[in-house]
Structures are given as C-alpha cells and as structure tokens.
Amino acid sequence: MASAVVPSYTPQPFDPALADALAACHLDPPAPAATGVDVPALQLWKAGHRLFFTLIQATVVALRDATSPPSHPAPAETRTAATLLAACAAAMRLTTTFSPHDYQHTVRPSMAPPQHALAGFSGMWSADHCALVVALSIFNWATDRVTWRWLRNGQSPTGVERVV
C-alpha cells in the first residue's frame, strides 16, 4: 500500500472519514501529528483546501466511473464516491479548525483585494467545483432513471419487493 503525504495539520484523533477515503484510494493514513503544535490559521486554510480539492477530483472520477456503462450506477464506485464525499466534508472541517477571529482578521483578508485581484473571491469559481457539480448532476440523473425502472418493474432500489 502506498503512503499519502499531505503537509498539513492533522487533528487528533484522525478523522474517520479521511481514513476511509485513504483506504478507498489504497493509501495508508499519515503518521500521527505532533501534539501541541500551533499551526497558523492561514496555513490550515490553504492545506485544508488543497486536500479538499484533491478529494473533489477523486470524487469526480468515482462518480464518472459509477455512471459509466454498462452498469450504472455501479455499486462499488457509488460507495467510493460516497466515501470520498464524506472525506470532502471532513477536509472542510479540518480547514476551519481555528477561531472566528483568525478567520476575520487573517484568512478572509487574504481573499480580498489587494491580496486577491477579484472582489468576492470564492472556491465555488473553481473548475474542480464545477466538475463536481456536473458529475453529481449526471449521477443523480442516472440513479433517478434506474430507480424509476426498478419501481416500474415493482422493485425498490434496495432490492426489496415493493408492496402494491
């Protein structure tokens, strides 16, 4: 198994959603972080977002695999995508493990002019976020079609017969 190296603060204990995502990607979790380390808020913000965007890219791949013919939604890839989405949420929790004061006075100003050329900067502008929204829409469309076919045939998506 390969080892993941992410130069960021890892709170103790390691978030289970991140551990699940690493396992889904066939990677080992990182070594435990040193305790009592004071990581600056801006460093946490940037490292957490790098992890988040990496997880978004992996999620997009899993969603595309889940909706690829011949069998979509593919159960294993759907589970992987769900695991990676949970890890995305965990990465965002990691990203914000600092005080509101640090956000207001350190992080937020780094995203505004003159540090950033565009006022109102948002990660939702990124191509990765757009690709995730599109992949989720396609997955939703594909699963709706399959669910409708199952229901039309008197079955439920869980495989349990529908009572009529």
Side-chain angles (χ1 to χ4, degrees):
M1 199 177 257
S3 182
V5 178
V6 179
S8 68
Y9 166 76
T10 305
Q12 295 296 327
F14 189 62
D15 192 305
L18 293 174
D20 292 345
L22 288 170
C25 295
H26 307 289
L27 297 169
D28 292 327
T35 56
V37 175
D38 188 23
V39 179
L42 193 55
Q43 185 179 342
L44 272 173
W45 183 261
K46 288 179 178 181
H49 276 81
R50 287 180 185 125
L51 175 60
F52 177 69
F53 281 107
T54 301
L55 289 165
I56 283 178
Q57 292 168 357
T59 303
V60 168
V61 170
L63 287 167
R64 288 177 180 166
D65 287 347
T67 56
S68 296
S71 71
H72 61 280
E77 290 78 4
T78 299
R79 279 190 295 279
T80 299
T83 297
L84 291 168
L85 281 170
C88 286
M92 291 313 293
R93 286 191 300 273
L94 168 68
T95 299
T96 60
T97 53
F98 48 80
S99 72
H101 180 269
D102 284 340
Y103 178 80
Q104 192 66 24
H105 297 291
T106 304
V107 175
R108 188 69 194 141
S110 75
M111 296 183 283
Q115 285 75 17
H116 195 278
L118 300 171
F121 172 73
S122 171
M124 291 178 17
W125 294 355
S126 78
D128 292 327
H129 185 268
C130 181
L132 177 63
V133 170
V134 168
L136 284 167
S137 296
I138 291 168
F139 180 80
N140 192 30
W141 177 82
T143 55
D144 282 350
R145 288 190 55 178
V146 170
T147 301
W148 179 247
R149 189 173 0 144
W150 283 331
L151 292 174
R152 193 174 59 219
N153 293 330
Q155 299 172 330
S156 76
T158 61
V160 177
E161 290 299 317
R162 188 172 62 138
V163 177
V164 261

